[in-house]
Structure formats: structure tokens, C-alpha cells
Amino acid sequence: MTQDQATRYPIVLVPGFFGFVKLVVYPYWFGIVPALRRGGATVIPVMVSALNSSEIRGEQLLGRIEEILRETGAAKVNLIGHSQGAITIRYAAAKRPDLVASVTSVAGPNHGSELADYIESRFPIHTARGRLLNAALLVVGWAMHLLDTGYRGTRLPTDLDAAHLSLTTQGMASFNSQFPQGLPTTWGGQGAELVNGVRYYSWSGTLQPGRTNRGWNRLDGTNVTCRIFASTFTKERGQSDGMVGRFSSHLGTVIGDDYPLDHFDIVNQSLGRVGKGANPVGLFLEHAARLKAAGL
């Protein structure tokens, strides 16, 4: 076992919308946790409400961080969040920067998701088709809760409407007005890396014909889903991972925003079946080494 990823502070992984720790035996962070641990890192995947606002999820995360600090004796944690998990960790760091060493957004909709905007306009919650979609999503969420063997705490609250609003451009604009730490001052730019003692980083991917639709992704239905969802984008047409736009993902120091990874590939889903030449696990290993080098 090497110590290349042996960060000073524990790495806490926070999932996104419809997130989980482990469904029966299948982990959300497929292959990522054991790879980091082999490198000497202390890695803790956590659960927050699969469907709720980023603020509610953030409060839940703060409680879990305090538990982790008591259990490990560490003074701070390194937070890595995927998708809505990125917004969740931003909230926690803004509220308690003294407990957080770093925030890393992985495909986070830091300026909102055009997909969420599309769903809001086409499936309003007070219409029949909006209620039908919500009912279907709630059933999926209920089933996933029953299958999640990685979390055995009290039942976490669900608010699908609040979760969806949190991901829209309007919802994120409101969030960003309250919690601007690490945000770029210009569209497509980079933000401050160090704010209130917390270091901010981000990376994301884009759909790239000939790459993301090749390799094992030819057998991965989630890639097809992302390609369909990408058609809803207008501002960042051709520059999204299917759910989040390339420039919308920017936060702090942008490590990269055009990796050949769709929204699921970036956390090595599904079953590690990713596009041609993609190495999402390697990105996490490189980042842990980066955090270690920074004394984090």
C-alpha cells in the first residue's frame, strides 16, 4: 500500500440528487473509495437526503461532519461532492469554514442546470404531468431507500419540489447570492481558490462524440440517457455532460472542465463502464495527491 493519497484530513464523499451510499452491494462511488484507501486516504462516503433542498442536505452534512471529527480525532475534513452534492458541501463550508479544509465540486451545477430548467418549464408541479412525474420519482426514491444498505440511520426527510428548485438556474442564483464562496466573477472563469481558510476546486466533463459514446459506454444505458438530456441545453449546447453545463460547473480552481465523461461516468458509473480512454478513478487519486501536497 502506498501513501500517495494519505491526506492530512479525512475525505468525505457526498452524493448528488437520488444519491445513496450502497444499493445492496453496489456503491455510488464505484471503485473510487477502495482506490483512495489503497493510497492511504481515510475516506468516508456519507448519506444525506436523496431528495431535498441543498440547504437541508447541508445541515444534515454538518451534523455528520461533527460526528466524523469526533470519531477520527481530525480537526477538519476534505469535502468532495458530486452533482447536487457539490452544492451541499458548499453550504456546509460556508456555514462552518472552521470544520472544512477543502471543497471539491465534481460536475456540480454551481450556476444551475439547464435540464432542471427544462423540466420546470415542461412539467410544472401543479399540472397533471408534473404530478405524474413527481409521483414516479418519489416511488424510485422510496425503492432506493429500501435498498440502501450503506445507511442505517433515521429516515431522512424528502422534499422533491425543494430538491428540483435547488438545481434550477433561479434556485442556484438565490443560493449563490447567499453563499458565493469560490464562485467565478466572470462566466466561464475561475474563482478564488482560498476563501475563509477553505480551498475550493472543481472538475467536470462533456459529452464528446467518438469518445464518450465509445468504449464500455456502448453498453451503458446511462450514457444514452445523458445524450438525450443534453438536447435540452441551449446556453451550453454541445458543452454539457448531459445534466450540467461545462461553465456552470466552475468553482474555485478549475482542474478541468472538458474531460470525456458524462454525468455518471465522472463517478465511474455504471459498473466502471465509461467512455473510450476515460479514467475517472484516476482523477480522484490525482486530486487526493493534490490535497496532500497542499497540506490538507
Side-chain angles (χ1 to χ4, degrees):
M1 177 184 293
T2 71
Q3 293 296 304
D4 294 346
Q5 284 73 44
T7 55
R8 177 181 179 185
Y9 303 114
I11 295 174
V12 176
L13 302 177
V14 183
F17 187 88
F18 268 132
F20 54 90
V21 176
K22 184 186 295 183
L23 292 182
V24 187
V25 297
Y26 185 73
Y28 185 96
W29 308 90
F30 188 85
I32 293 169
V33 173
L36 288 169
R37 287 176 176 166
R38 284 194 297 270
T42 298
V43 187
I44 304 169
V46 301
M47 185 61 184
V48 292
S49 287
L51 299 170
N52 218 314
S53 71
S54 298
E55 291 86 349
I56 292 295
R57 298 171 105 240
E59 287 294 330
Q60 294 167 357
L61 176 60
L62 283 172
R64 188 69 184 95
I65 289 171
E66 291 174 347
E67 291 176 354
I68 290 169
L69 296 182
R70 287 195 297 269
E71 293 164 0
T72 63
K76 298 182 179 184
V77 293
N78 291 301
L79 297 175
I80 301 180
H82 171 238
S83 194
Q84 192 185 6
I87 316 307
T88 306
I89 65 176
R90 285 179 54 194
Y91 176 91
K95 286 290 188 176
R96 290 296 307 272
D98 56 310
L99 302 183
V100 179
S102 69
V103 161
T104 303
S105 165
V106 178
N110 292 302
H111 295 273
S113 167
E114 291 188 61
L115 174 61
D117 293 343
Y118 178 88
I119 293 173
E120 181 182 41
S121 65
R122 297 300 181 94
F123 297 88
I125 60 176
H126 299 301
T127 65
R129 61 181 178 177
R131 288 192 293 270
L132 182 61
L133 176 61
N134 279 13
L137 292 175
L138 287 170
V139 169
V140 172
W142 173 79
M144 291 177 69
H145 167 73
L146 292 181
L147 295 172
D148 193 343
T149 59
Y151 174 74
R152 281 292 175 259
T154 57
R155 179 71 183 270
L156 296 168
T158 294
D159 188 333
L160 178 57
D161 293 339
H164 178 248
L165 178 61
S166 287
L167 301 174
T168 63
T169 301
Q170 178 183 356
M172 279 308 307
S174 175
F175 181 94
N176 288 341
S177 69
Q178 301 174 70
F179 312 109
Q181 293 86 346
L183 287 174
T185 56
T186 58
W187 178 250
Q190 301 204 35
E193 179 174 312
L194 184 62
V195 184
N196 295 336
V198 180
R199 292 190 181 274
Y200 287 81
Y201 306 92
S202 62
W203 76 77
S204 59
T206 59
L207 296 174
Q208 300 174 22
R211 300 186 71 185
T212 52
N213 59 349
R214 296 291 187 269
W216 285 108
N217 264 348
R218 288 177 294 183
L219 303 176
D220 190 351
T222 59
N223 181 257
V224 176
T225 300
C226 284
R227 298 205 305 269
I228 293 171
F229 286 163
S231 66
T232 66
F233 283 69
T234 55
K235 184 176 182 179
E236 294 200 75
R237 183 173 296 279
Q239 295 290 320
S240 80
D241 65 5
M243 295 188 180
V244 174
R246 174 182 180 180
F247 297 130
S248 180
S249 72
H250 284 199
L251 183 76
T253 293
V254 180
I255 296 165
D257 62 5
D258 60 350
Y259 293 108
L261 297 163
D262 67 40
H263 197 69
F264 297 95
D265 284 351
I266 209 157
V267 288
N268 207 34
Q269 298 288 355
S270 302
L271 291 167
R273 296 183 300 187
V274 300
K276 184 178 180 181
N279 182 17
V281 176
L283 292 177
F284 282 83
L285 294 177
E286 289 171 7
H287 190 53
R290 182 181 294 112
L291 295 175
K292 179 184 177 182
L296 307 177

